[in-house]
Amino acid sequence: MMGQQSGIQEQLLFCFSLENHVPKDHLLRGIHRLLDLGDLRQQLFGFYSPMGRPSIDPELMIRMLICGLDLDDPVPDHSTFSKNRHGRFRESQAFRLLFETVLQRCMAEGLVKGEGFATDASIIKADAQRQHRVEGSETVDWGDPEQASRPVREYLTALEEANDPQESARTLSLTDPAATWTAAPGGPAFFAYCTNYLIDLEAGIILDVEASTVNKAAEAKATRTMIDRVEDKFDLKPEHLVGDTNYGTATMFGWLVDEKDIEPHVPVFEKSERTDGTFGRSDFTFDAENNRYICPAGKFLKTAWRSKKKNPYRYRASLLDCQSCPLKSQCCPNMNHRQIDRSPHESARDVARAITKTDAYKQSRKERKKVEMLFAHLKRILRVDKLRLRGFSGAHDEFLLAATAQNLRRMAKRLAINGPAPQLIPA
Ligand code: SF4
């Protein structure tokens, strides 16, 4: 059955008083006061048996994970932590509830404005040795799934659900197969996950966090998941989203502009621009009314001339125009005539291109540093530069806990400016 701490009291025979040793303006006092775990107890209640010996209080374990323990509290055994982390806490989504409880408090304190969001991802090393790996060409015999470790079981289940033929072609860790084999510039490759943050730009509060594999498509997908979840749960949708080039794909712009009506403050990834001195896409003007491009020589590029074959997104110049054009060597020296592919999301990309020329965009570029600073804090101060838990569920749990701690710290710092120092140990 669920146990409960009998209230934190200073011991009469204990000559060391935590209250006296923690400075009045220490951040821990603010965090301690703001961490209200009442809802969490209710959420977990159904996961405990109504009979038997009282368990370690789950609130105690959560507090230990977030901000430590009082000096005279009994310390739970590490196996108790392990069982709860991979059992009740995960099944009941206790860490997500904890994160959302703290986020709601941040909102109640006026730290979230909901106008501008920023998104970014950071690579965190997995707890997987680079030597214990198999290359994509090798076949792995995982043995009996029932006997496999938890990360392997989770991976095999996800593999079956995804049914992705590409999956077998990648380099796999034998201890944490869901981790991505990735190379940082200048260093040896390693296994890793990505932590993805969605933050509100008002005070840099983290609105959502998601674990993903290390690749651009997965990071963009994680951002879409977070934006949808924040809208569903808190009825919050930003006017604009700030992100780097990784989010500058046509699909992402289409989703942001056409589906969500969110202004993308994101650089446009221009793969159609050229570096050999010949005309790039930006040298051609799109005439939306007549659905055609106008080239630097004033000729038209259309989706169909006389050919019956029509690709609605490929615009071609006339063979006759190009063959006699004095600009041909600057335009299409190795082709008979010029053609341009237009993305189905090109109008959304045009919206993003127009935004990049505004002052608001310059301001957004500066504000994006807020999310980068959170990642720097995560790695340098909280020391979450390498995961302790394996598998996607382990990465999710650690990223959620770290983001919760960062929000608590940010809120405590903001609110500590006003009011008296809170008591660590209630009188
Ligand atoms: S080569 Fe063709 S497309 Fe290019 S500028 Fe000349 S006419 Fe226009």
Side-chain angles (χ1 to χ4, degrees), residues 279 284 295-299 301 317-318 321-322 325 327-328 331-332 338:
F279 296 143
F284 293 73
C295 77
K299 307 293 184 189
L301 285 81
S318 132
D321 285 341
C322 291
C325 178
L327 301 176
K328 187 167 186 303
C331 185
C332 48
R338 181 67 186 257

Side-chain angles (χ1 to χ4, degrees), residues 99 103 106 110-114 116-119 197-208 367-375 377 402-411 414:
F99 173 79
L103 176 59
C106 292
L111 300 179
V112 174
K113 210 168 173 186
F117 290 179
T119 186
Y197 277 8
L198 182 71
I199 72 159
D200 185 88
L201 287 169
E202 171 69 6
I205 295 295
I206 303 163
L207 298 169
D208 207 347
E367 289 184 323
R368 204 174 69 80
K369 290 195 174 66
K370 287 183 182 174
V371 67
E372 290 168 354
M373 281 161 61
L374 279 166
F375 287 139
H377 174 263
T404 306
Q406 286 185 296
N407 275 351
L408 274 168
R409 178 179 177 274
R410 178 65 52 102
M411 179 163 49
R414 285 278 184 134

